[in-house]
Amino acid sequence: MKLCRFDRNRVGVVRGDHVHDVSAVLEQLPSLRWPLPLGDQLVAELERLRPEMERLADRAPPRPLAGVKLLSPVANPGKIIGAPINYNDHIAEAMSDQTIAHGRDLKSIGETGMFLKATSSLVGPSEGVAQRFVDRRNDHEAELAIIIGKGGTNIPLDRALDHVAGYAIGLDMTVRGPELVCFRKSIDTYSVLGPWLVTKDEVPDPGRLDLKLWVNGAIRQNSNTRYLVYDVARLIEFTTSYYSVQPGDIIMSGTPSGVGPVKPGDVMTVEIERIGRMEVAVRAA
Ligand code: MN
């Protein structure tokens, strides 16, 4: 199932080029009192609510996707977790280009660990990227995004995929520079998730997906998730060896080579096999 959030926080099931409004399912979410549990409550209940969503989608009139505004399919992630250097060809390009590395000694992901992006940076594709510091290098990073469905900590490798709700396309936007990575990558709109969440049953092997990014129609990134240094299961094991994850947490799995600058007026197109394609416009903040 492809689940999206669109327009004014409508929930939709995507079938082909159409969206079916299933927002009535939100009435079945538990009513919660403060303090709210960490994580996204729709993702937490996704397994339970999925049959009802499919039924609602069968009855809802199809609307063309082209006519709706796609928001991040996860509304309330507790964390956006990033993998800094998880494709060897990206490590090589960063090491050979000081406008990327800025004097940092790039080690392996195992030595560097993961980073966090502020959840306030998250938008959907239709919202676009509002670029700050337009005089500095602002890069696109196309990434497979993993959406956690079942929380846990110290999750072992062989059970890691049980904790996945699904996948989406992630854009880990970055202003290059000497500041801490969590600061530079947390600018409002610098985390794009879309165009929808694809449940994991539609992605039998997340380690074999073509991933491509174009800027204004020119290809910039073209790789496959088979080149991930830490694959999806290992990323979950590694991350949760340090901290717990909750439903709706997003892991951006890292970017392959080909990162490069964008400027206001550019349009990024990102595609991942079995997930879909999204266009994201860049403007000045
Ligand atoms: Mn990244």
Side-chain angles (χ1 to χ4, degrees):
M1 185 175 71
K2 294 181 172 71
L3 186 68
C4 73
R5 184 165 63 109
F6 69 101
D7 292 346
R8 294 182 162 211
N9 293 308
R10 308 302 295 176
V11 176
V13 169
V14 175
R15 293 176 177 170
D17 294 331
H18 292 85
V19 58
H20 301 254
D21 192 326
V22 300
S23 303
V25 80
L26 295 173
E27 289 160 23
Q28 296 186 27
L29 288 180
S31 52
L32 298 167
R33 284 169 176 266
W34 183 90
L36 298 174
L38 287 175
D40 185 282
Q41 297 317 303
L42 183 58
V43 177
E45 301 285 336
L46 188 56
E47 290 274 310
R48 178 175 72 86
L49 298 180
R50 187 171 166 180
E52 177 64 8
M53 289 188 199
E54 297 279 16
R55 273 193 296 276
L56 288 166
D58 290 342
R59 295 199 296 266
R63 290 179 55 186
L65 269 169
V68 304
K69 180 179 174 182
L70 288 170
L71 310 173
S72 163
V74 180
N76 294 112
K79 291 189 284 299
I80 304 171
I81 302 158
I85 38 174
N86 203 22
Y87 285 83
N88 282 320
D89 61 353
H90 175 58
I91 300 171
E93 83 177 342
M95 294 283 261
S96 65
D97 183 350
Q98 281 306 310
T99 67
I100 299 177
H102 280 272
R104 280 182 293 274
D105 181 21
L106 301 174
K107 302 185 173 83
S108 65
I109 183 170
E111 292 170 282
T112 304
M114 308 292 278
F115 63 88
L116 291 167
K117 295 176 67 123
T119 53
S120 47
S121 67
L122 185 64
V123 292
S126 299
E127 292 165 278
V129 170
Q131 195 175 310
R132 300 192 191 186
F133 312 109
V134 292
D135 54 327
R136 291 174 59 178
R137 179 170 166 175
N138 277 266
D139 279 9
H140 56 76
E141 295 189 355
E143 317 201 352
L144 173 69
I146 304 146
I147 295 145
I148 296 293
K150 189 171 80 175
T153 195
N154 279 316
I155 297 169
L157 197 65
D158 63 343
R159 292 214 294 273
L161 295 184
D162 297 345
H163 291 261
V164 174
Y167 303 93
I169 302 172
L171 265 175
D172 173 22
M173 299 302 296
T174 302
V175 58
R176 301 292 177 197
E179 301 88 352
L180 290 173
V181 64
C182 55
F183 199 44
R184 291 184 288 110
K185 288 174 175 275
S186 286
I187 296 170
D188 291 357
T189 74
Y190 276 41
S191 300
V192 187
L193 191 76
W196 35 71
L197 182 162
V198 180
T199 52
K200 65 178 171 189
D201 53 291
E202 295 193 16
V203 187
D205 186 358
R208 195 162 288 270
L209 301 173
D210 284 334
L211 175 158
K212 295 186 175 77
L213 178 141
W214 298 259
V215 176
N216 305 329
I219 190 112
R220 291 265 191 95
Q221 295 189 272
N222 185 359
S223 190
N224 186 286
T225 55
R226 80 169 69 100
Y227 301 115
L228 283 166
V229 177
Y230 278 11
D231 66 11
V232 170
R234 176 71 182 124
L235 281 172
I236 293 169
E237 180 188 56
F238 182 53
T239 300
T240 65
S241 71
Y242 281 74
Y243 49 73
S244 62
V245 290
Q246 284 83 32
D249 282 2
I250 299 158
I251 301 178
M252 293 204 180
S253 58
T255 199
S257 68
V259 301
V262 289
K263 58 184 187 313
D266 286 346
V267 176
M268 300 175 283
T269 305
V270 205
E271 187 178 276
I272 298 183
E273 194 178 356
R274 290 186 178 273
I275 296 176
R277 168 190 276 245
M278 65 183 193
E279 289 202 344
V280 181
V282 181
R283 66 184 186 280

